[in-house]
């Protein structure tokens, strides 16, 4: 079964926003075992959008359109798709009620206007998919010729949960056999080494299949099985999952696709009844922010420190003046003292410190851009690691955060 993606919006064509929706949907469709041979972006133009929809329906079984479901005149996706399918628009009472409830919750901060009711108009015979994060419902139009159009809202925080909750199960049901998968997330192992460790499994695969995905400082393995039901798929995948567990051991931090590394670390701290603090220089709060993305992180994290200057490192963390004079702010010794000092200042069981040269300037021959030291203090025991990253400023900082979380996890284990 083939699926085609059409992203709607002039702002995408102009580069005002990055089309992350298409990347997300393409990966999800592949996981569902669906073939996606074409993707396109169309501006807010009725004629060009109609041409794109007709072409997509001519060569694909299902067309997923993202965006253009808003209340303004240039939001044309629903109207043009209805025209292509030969359907009239009619008001959906359920959607109108949900829109009213949405604006009632805003308590007049953003009062409803007449054009908002445009979103309650749906093509005749369409399946309405409730939007739990906005006002534009999703729509499924099934044609008499076996062709289907699926309309999704453009904002990622509306599109992603709608696709995961309702559209993915719908697509899975259309196939003679379901596609089921498990994610194995690995840290502390580089991409090349990780792939080498499973090369034989990938060469022998049939059903289930094994696919690696390189992430920032991590490697994820997706195990996918085709089966009549989830129970049968689990039975097929289990030997592969057990073999991956045998090979990677404690480097696997989760087999839950929705769990992130920072969530795994926070959970580990909770299980051990320990608290955490952070002391950051080159990452400037990025590490703390990553941890704060985890709901309930406040149970283990109370305070942190951003100490860019040497004076701040001395004043807030107790780094010795002599250490900074002799070894410099970017050094093994400073990172170690930052971690110890942060733990003491915060009264925390564990502390992470990061100091380095993120770039693009500031590097020297002895201390080049990308040099980062990460310190980890757990119950008074200190371990500090030196890293050499080769990306731009943003990438270097991102990698530093992942390496810090990985180091803390290793020490907690």
């Amino acid at each position: 079964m083939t699926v085609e993606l059409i992203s709607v919006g002039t702002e995408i064509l102009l580069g005002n926003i990055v089309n992350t929706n298409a990347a997300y949907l393409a990966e999800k469709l592949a996981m569902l075992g669906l073939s996606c041979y074409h993707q396109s972006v169309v501006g807010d133009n009725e004629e060009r959008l109609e041409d794109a929809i007709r072409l997509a329906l001519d060569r694909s079984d299902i067309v997923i359109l993202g965006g253009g479901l808003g209340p303004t005149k240039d939001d044309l996706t629903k109207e043009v798709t209805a025209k292509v399918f030969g359907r009239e628009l009619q008001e959906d009472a359920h959607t109108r009620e949900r829109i009213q409830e949405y604006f009632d919750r805003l308590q007049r901060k953003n009062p409803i206007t007449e054009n908002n009711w445009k979103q309650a108009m749906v093509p005749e015979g369409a399946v309405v998919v409730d939007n739990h994060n906005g006002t534009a419902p999703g729509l499924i139009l099934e044609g008499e010729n076996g062709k289907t159009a699926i309309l999704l809202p453009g904002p990622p925080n509306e599109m992603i949960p709608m696709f995961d909750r309702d559209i993915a199960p719908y697509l899975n049901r259309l196939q003679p056999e379901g596609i089921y998968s498990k994610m194995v997330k690995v840290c502390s192992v580089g991409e090349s080494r990780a792939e080498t460790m499973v090369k034989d499994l990938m060469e022998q695969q049939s059903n289930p299949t094994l696919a690696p995905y390189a992430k920032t400082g991590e490697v994820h393995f997706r195990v996918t099985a085709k089966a009549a039901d989830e129970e049968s798929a689990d039975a097929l995948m289990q030997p592969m999952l057990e073999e991956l567990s045998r090979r990677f051991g404690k480097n696997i931090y989760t087999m839950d696709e929705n769990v992130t590394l920072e969530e795994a670390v926070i959970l580990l701290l909770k299980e051990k009844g320990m608290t955490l603090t952070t002391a950051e220089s080159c990452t400037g709060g990025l590490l703390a922010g990553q941890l704060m993305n985890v709901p309930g992180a406040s149970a283990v994290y109370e305070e942190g420190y951003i100490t860019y200057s040497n004076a701040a490192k001395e004043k807030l963390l107790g780094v010795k003046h002599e250490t900074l004079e002799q070894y410099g702010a970017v050094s093994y010794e400073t990172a170690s003292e930052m971690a110890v000092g942060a733990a003491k200042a915060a009264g925390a069981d564990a502390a992470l410190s990061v100091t380095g040269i993120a770039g693009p300037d500031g590097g020297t021959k002895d201390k080049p851009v990308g040099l980062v030291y990460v310190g980890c203090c757990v119950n008074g025991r200190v371990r500090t690691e030196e890293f050499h990253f080769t990306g731009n400023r943003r990438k270097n900082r991102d990698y530093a955060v992942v390496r810090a979380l990985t180091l803390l996890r290793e020490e907690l284990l």
Side-chain angles (χ1 to χ4, degrees), residues 72-243:
T72 61
K73 287 185 177 180
D74 62 346
D75 290 308
L76 303 166
T77 302
K78 177 173 55 184
E79 290 76 8
V80 175
T81 305
K83 177 182 177 182
V84 171
F85 276 75
R87 310 279 182 90
E88 295 292 328
L89 293 176
Q90 57 187 22
E91 185 175 89
D92 180 63
H94 172 70
T95 300
R96 183 183 178 96
E97 183 179 340
R98 287 184 62 83
I99 293 173
Q100 183 66 62
E101 291 173 353
Y102 178 87
F103 279 95
D104 286 345
R105 289 196 300 271
L106 294 179
Q107 299 178 338
R108 299 183 180 276
K109 292 180 181 179
N110 191 13
I112 196 167
T113 57
E114 189 61 32
N115 60 354
N116 286 117
W117 300 123
K118 174 176 180 283
Q119 294 179 303
M121 302 297 291
V122 305
E124 182 182 6
V127 177
V128 178
V129 182
D130 287 343
N131 186 342
H132 297 276
N133 299 280
T135 54
L139 298 166
I140 301 174
L141 283 78
E142 297 174 333
E144 296 177 358
N145 57 355
K147 304 285 187 171
T148 300
I150 299 174
L151 283 59
L152 300 175
N157 64 345
E158 298 179 30
M159 184 280 292
I160 290 175
M162 182 183 292
F163 183 88
D164 291 345
R165 176 189 174 106
D166 298 294
I167 304 304
Y170 168 82
L171 293 171
N172 214 11
R173 289 194 297 269
L174 297 181
Q175 302 192 91
E177 285 188 297
I179 303 295
Y180 303 89
S181 64
K182 299 281 188 180
M183 184 70 85
V184 178
K185 297 185 177 182
V186 176
C187 61
S188 303
V189 180
E191 177 188 359
S192 299
R193 181 176 165 227
E195 188 170 354
T196 301
M197 290 173 67
V198 298
K199 184 179 180 181
D200 60 317
L201 297 178
M202 296 178 65
E203 290 175 346
Q204 299 166 11
Q205 64 185 352
S206 55
N207 188 23
T209 59
L210 178 66
Y213 297 88
K215 304 294 181 178
T216 301
E218 303 177 37
V219 180
H220 297 178
F221 291 100
R222 181 169 293 282
V223 180
T224 304
K226 183 181 291 186
D229 53 59
E230 187 171 2
E231 184 178 353
S232 301
D234 285 342
L236 287 170
M237 290 187 284
Q238 193 57 36
M240 180 78 78
L241 295 172
E242 290 176 357
E243 183 61 22

Side-chain angles (χ1 to χ4, degrees), residues 24 49 317 383 410:
Y24 179 85
L49 180 55
L317 304 176
R383 175 182 165 191
E410 290 176 357

Side-chain angles (χ1 to χ4, degrees), residues 185 218 253-254 256-265 294:
K185 297 185 177 182
E218 303 177 37
Y253 69 84
T254 187
D256 185 335
E257 182 171 358
N258 298 313
V259 172
T260 62
L261 179 58
E262 55 268 25
E263 286 176 315
V265 169
V294 181

Side-chain angles (χ1 to χ4, degrees), residues 2-3 13 38 73 147 190 200 226 235 254 273 276 323 364 388 410:
T2 58
V3 181
L13 285 175
H38 301 279
K73 287 185 177 180
K147 304 285 187 171
D200 60 317
K226 183 181 291 186
T254 187
L276 172 69
T323 300
T364 65
H388 292 266
E410 290 176 357

